[in-house]
Amino acid sequence: MSDGADHIAERKMQFLFALRSRGVTDARVLTAMERIDRGPFVRGYFAERAYEDMPLPIACGQTISQPSVVGLMTQALRLTGRDKVLEVGTGSGYQAAILSQLARRVYTVDRHRQLVREASAIFAALDLTNIVCLTADGSFGLPEQAPFDRILVTAAAEDPPGPLLAQLRIGGIMVLPVGQSDAVQQLIRVTRHETGYDYDELRPVRFVPLVEGLGRDG
């Protein structure tokens, strides 16, 4: 192996070690995160930091979440491999790409047309054919494709949005950050039952706010 290949292999090993040390222990999730390189999803000045466990800025004032949070959120969904998943907040596309390795089909929506365009190009280049990427107001979900087995929201709302709860299948799971400010947010898991919803608090997090409407570029 060349020095360059050695260097990349070493960085990937450190990357996986960082995920495990921060609580990402599900073997299937770790395999998916080993398979999907974060590199193509981080552009420009920050590309060199793609393998660090930190959030990084992307276009449209958004961020790509730190990999350990991506792993923990994916793990919390308890994916079976047969699930139809809705992701609200495509962003860079990295989270959807991870989900594509663990779900039957992934619908991912973003309010910024530019992000949808860029993420779709990466999905095509990586031959991820089970992702449908759309420009839409994610706070209303995707009623024409509901119900969903799993829903993942990558932006913080004060409370779980009613339309998303309604689009969750009985027995389904939604994972999302909730909180009234940028400073105080909690990652929660919502499980839908025939008689209502169970809520589990998972960990403190920081996400951009969930905003209604399409972005100005949309």
Side-chain angles (χ1 to χ4, degrees):
M1 252 198 311
S2 68
D3 286 350
D6 277 340
H7 180 56
I8 289 169
E10 174 69 21
R11 282 167 76 184
K12 285 195 171 182
M13 218 162 68
Q14 290 173 349
F15 177 76
L16 290 169
F17 178 76
L19 293 177
R20 287 193 195 92
S21 67
R22 289 171 173 84
V24 183
T25 54
D26 184 301
R28 290 171 64 246
V29 174
L30 287 165
T31 298
M33 296 188 75
E34 186 174 15
R35 198 179 294 143
I36 298 293
D37 192 337
R38 194 178 183 227
F41 299 92
V42 183
R43 299 173 179 223
Y45 178 74
F46 293 99
E48 191 54 37
R49 311 187 81 168
Y51 299 103
E52 295 179 28
D53 190 37
M54 62 188 300
L56 296 167
I58 58 171
C60 303
Q62 304 301 297
T63 56
I64 177 171
S65 297
Q66 68 191 86
S68 60
V69 171
V70 170
L72 289 165
M73 291 178 79
T74 305
Q75 188 169 275
L77 284 172
R78 297 174 174 165
L79 293 157
T80 67
R82 301 183 300 277
D83 305 298
K84 180 167 76 168
V85 180
L86 171 64
E87 180 196 27
V88 175
T90 307
S92 69
Y94 178 61
Q95 173 75 76
I98 300 296
L99 294 172
S100 77
Q101 305 298 295
L102 300 160
R104 180 171 55 85
R105 184 160 295 277
V106 178
Y107 292 87
T108 181
V109 299
D110 202 287
R111 59 192 292 270
H112 294 287
R113 202 175 295 279
Q114 178 188 342
L115 295 180
V116 168
R117 222 175 18 244
E118 292 176 359
S120 296
I122 299 174
F123 300 151
L126 297 178
D127 199 27
L128 302 177
T129 56
N130 63 337
I131 303 176
V132 179
C133 192
L134 302 164
T135 305
D137 182 349
S139 56
F140 293 103
L142 208 55
E144 61 271 28
Q145 295 296 339
F148 294 95
D149 302 299
R150 302 289 188 268
I151 299 177
L152 184 69
V153 186
T154 61
E158 285 192 25
D159 298 293
L164 299 184
L165 290 170
Q167 289 171 38
L168 195 59
R169 189 185 299 283
I170 303 294
I173 292 171
M174 175 161 63
V175 172
L176 76 162
V178 294
Q180 297 187 341
S181 72
D182 290 350
V184 184
Q185 296 172 3
Q186 189 70 223
L187 188 65
I188 66 168
R189 176 169 50 218
V190 184
T191 307
R192 185 172 188 181
H193 301 291
E194 301 239 1
T195 54
Y197 302 89
D198 281 348
Y199 297 84
D200 297 309
E201 291 193 351
L202 302 177
R203 54 167 285 156
V205 287
R206 284 189 74 171
F207 277 86
V208 296
L210 183 66
V211 179
E212 287 191 10
L214 294 181
R216 275 177 289 180
D217 64 327

